[in-house]
Amino acid sequence: MSETLHIIGGGMAGSEAAWQAAQAGVPVVLHEMRPKVATFAHQSGDFAEMVCSNSFRSDDDERNAVGLLHWEMRAAGGLIMTTADRHSLPAGGALAVDREAFSQAVTAALRSHPLISFAEDEVTELPASGHWIVATGPLTSGALAESIRTTTGAESLAFFDAIAPIVYAETIDMDIAWRQSRYDKGETEEERTAYINCPMTKAEYEAFIDALLAAEKTEFHEGETAGYFDGCLPIEVMAERGRETLRHGPMKPVGLTNAHKPEEKAYAVVQLRRDNALGTLYNIVGFQTKMKYGAQSSVFKMIPGLQNASFARLGGIHRNTFINSPTLLDDQMRLKLRPNLRFAGQITGVEGYVESAAMGLLAGRMAAAEIKGGCLPPPAPETAMGSLVNHITGGAEAKSFQPMNVNFGLFPPLEEARGGRKGRKDRYKGYTDRAKELFTHWLAAQG
């Protein structure tokens, strides 16, 4: 085959796109500027590096839209999900991975594929010819971002994404904290004890909120505004929205019983999730923050059980860039003004590792089909993957377009759906049953 697919960016989307196209028999060149050109968030030059969390979220493919997306990506032979399964960690019903082992394995798989070659370079302009996928993610370099703005004639949108801190497990006081997954979720004892929980009394919670609100925060650069994505809010921003917000969010105490004091109900609970296979690192769940480093250490040590904690990484904040996809992309994920260019991943306005990889999977398959002389239609909007691509290529309101995780609200409704809590569970199962059937047909039609 004489035509080659070029992919800019070796993150979740770019890695998956490269794998899918190569598996379809199309030669691929994967362009990645790291490690020659570093970003403040990445620590290595490996592909599919996880910089924010080590979780792919819920793995329930019967009643959760994220779990359904996992199922679809597995069915499509996705590299990201296959590798995640091989390097999974106990996470109480979620899919979490050993992040270093995961990215190293993705890198090894890509580098060993006979149809994938690599260019360690920074692409600074959108190419005018050839087949390209732009999968540069939320940290698109300034030069390429400027080229995108110039080409599209529209300003990229931006939001701020915050990184949660990571604690050394040996410094957590287990005389105060205990191991338990919320509602004891999981089929094994390891799954049911996947999280470490730190309880707070009402007085401790109130003092923590006071310190959080008073802590010194990261300043934004001139011209930047804090347009946060609601799914990844810094904890201090949540606290500013109301003193009880955190207690009904990442610090909710429901479904947990203090193993040390089972008769006492905690007013709030901070959860930590295992971050590596060795169990030596735990990240503080939902504790993305823009506090300055000195403030983080002192405020987080107010959490019972973390009073002597040492941090492998403190939190941080950075600007994420994405395009207004509903106005710019067609249903093949191509730039309408320059159809030789496809976009995939977070730069399209999907949010999350899984969603980014899924859009890479689609873009890679669509580009491969086009290079081979065909045209691959997107999956039905009733599927998880189809609902996402439909959302970013026209289903969303362009004027208020914001990053979006996969959720059942993006799916066409079920005619037979019933209301109420029990009805909601049945409805979710109906969504996933319908999606699996349609996605299976979509795959079968590709031969």
Side-chain angles (χ1 to χ4, degrees):
M1 186 174 296
S2 59
E3 292 188 88
T4 298
L5 174 62
H6 292 262
I7 298 172
I8 311 174
M12 294 289 174
S15 296
E16 188 65 68
W19 182 260
Q20 293 291 326
Q23 288 292 88
V26 173
V28 174
V29 178
L30 183 55
H31 300 255
E32 173 53 60
M33 67 181 187
R34 296 178 295 111
K36 286 186 176 180
V37 181
T39 78
F40 73 91
H42 292 86
Q43 304 296 314
S44 75
D46 289 335
F47 300 119
E49 181 180 338
M50 304 176 80
V51 298
C52 183
S53 164
N54 73 321
S55 176
F56 288 94
R57 310 190 330 271
S58 174
D59 204 34
D60 179 359
D61 62 48
E62 292 195 340
R63 291 183 172 83
N64 187 284
V66 179
L68 173 62
L69 192 54
H70 290 182
W71 184 94
E72 292 179 4
M73 294 172 69
R74 289 181 178 115
L79 174 65
I80 295 301
M81 291 308 303
T82 300
T83 309
D85 288 336
R86 288 207 311 266
H87 296 280
S88 63
L89 300 172
L95 175 61
V97 302
D98 182 325
R99 69 174 79 204
E100 288 188 10
F102 166 80
S103 61
Q104 288 168 2
V106 171
T107 302
L110 292 173
R111 290 199 178 277
S112 65
H113 201 293
L115 289 180
I116 303 177
S117 56
F118 305 88
E120 292 184 357
D121 58 356
E122 179 184 1
V123 179
T124 58
E125 293 186 4
L126 288 176
S129 61
H131 298 276
W132 292 79
I133 295 175
V134 181
T136 47
L139 300 181
T140 299
S141 67
L144 185 58
E146 183 57 37
S147 177
I148 293 170
R149 283 191 288 268
T150 301
T151 301
T152 61
E155 285 297 313
S156 292
L157 306 178
F159 65 99
F160 286 85
D161 196 12
I163 299 171
I166 294 178
V167 177
Y168 288 106
E170 63 185 12
T171 67
I172 301 171
D173 187 347
M174 296 306 295
D175 289 333
I176 296 174
W178 76 97
R179 298 179 185 274
Q180 182 190 5
S181 296
R182 199 179 302 279
Y183 296 111
D184 297 308
K185 279 188 177 181
E187 296 181 359
T188 66
E189 182 64 17
E190 195 175 29
E191 290 279 351
R192 290 189 288 272
T193 58
Y195 291 79
I196 291 177
N197 303 281
C198 300
M200 280 188 179
T201 64
K202 187 175 190 299
E204 289 167 338
Y205 177 80
E206 294 293 346
F208 179 77
I209 296 298
D210 288 338
L212 200 59
L213 294 173
E216 193 174 7
K217 314 298 193 303
T218 300
E219 298 293 331
F220 296 109
H221 296 108
E222 185 178 353
E224 293 183 340
T225 57
Y228 298 105
F229 169 55
D230 277 348
C232 203
L233 286 175
I235 55 170
E236 57 275 7
V237 173
M238 285 190 270
E240 289 167 359
R241 295 184 174 185
R243 296 183 67 87
E244 292 289 290
T245 302
L246 283 170
R247 204 169 74 86
H248 292 279
M251 296 176 68
K252 59 181 178 286
V254 299
L256 297 166
T257 301
N258 189 336
H260 305 297
K261 300 177 181 179
E263 71 285 353
E264 291 186 15
K265 184 68 176 175
Y267 189 75
V269 173
V270 175
Q271 285 199 304
L272 295 91
R273 179 179 56 230
R274 200 162 106 182
D275 203 74
N276 64 347
L278 294 174
T280 57
L281 301 174
Y282 276 74
N283 62 65
I284 310 180
V285 177
F287 266 47
Q288 300 87 356
T289 180
K290 65 188 182 77
M291 286 187 288
K292 290 192 173 180
Y293 284 170
Q296 287 186 46
S297 183
S298 60
V299 171
F300 292 148
K301 286 184 177 182
M302 295 176 66
I303 298 170
L306 300 187
Q307 63 273 10
N308 297 313
S310 292
F311 296 90
R313 183 190 71 189
L314 288 167
I317 188 165
H318 56 88
R319 181 172 180 146
N320 282 358
T321 302
F322 61 98
I323 62 173
N324 196 325
S325 293
T327 64
L328 299 176
L329 303 184
D330 65 15
D331 66 358
Q332 286 283 304
M333 304 173 73
R334 296 176 299 200
L335 192 62
K336 294 174 183 176
L337 295 170
R338 298 265 289 276
N340 70 305
L341 302 170
R342 278 181 170 81
F343 281 75
Q346 277 191 262
I347 196 169
T348 66
V350 297
E351 174 61 21
Y353 294 138
V354 181
E355 290 87 342
S356 297
M359 295 302 94
L361 188 154
L362 271 185
R365 283 182 171 240
M366 287 174 168
E370 184 176 315
I371 288 171
K372 294 166 77 172
C375 179
L376 175 64
E382 291 85 358
T383 65
M385 215 174 289
S387 74
L388 274 175
V389 73
N390 177 67
H391 179 75
I392 64 172
T393 60
E397 175 58 54
K399 291 182 179 179
S400 58
F401 184 59
Q402 286 291 319
M404 181 65 74
N405 292 117
V406 67
N407 63 85
F408 288 127
L410 301 180
F411 290 51
L414 292 164
E415 292 183 7
E416 68 275 18
R418 301 194 304 273
R421 180 167 294 275
K422 186 174 186 297
R424 188 186 309 134
K425 289 182 179 180
D426 291 341
R427 186 163 68 249
Y428 292 167
K429 182 66 163 56
Y431 281 134
T432 58
D433 287 347
R434 180 181 66 177
K436 290 174 182 177
E437 181 179 356
L438 291 170
F439 195 80
T440 299
H441 288 326
W442 181 76
L443 288 175
Q446 296 170 52

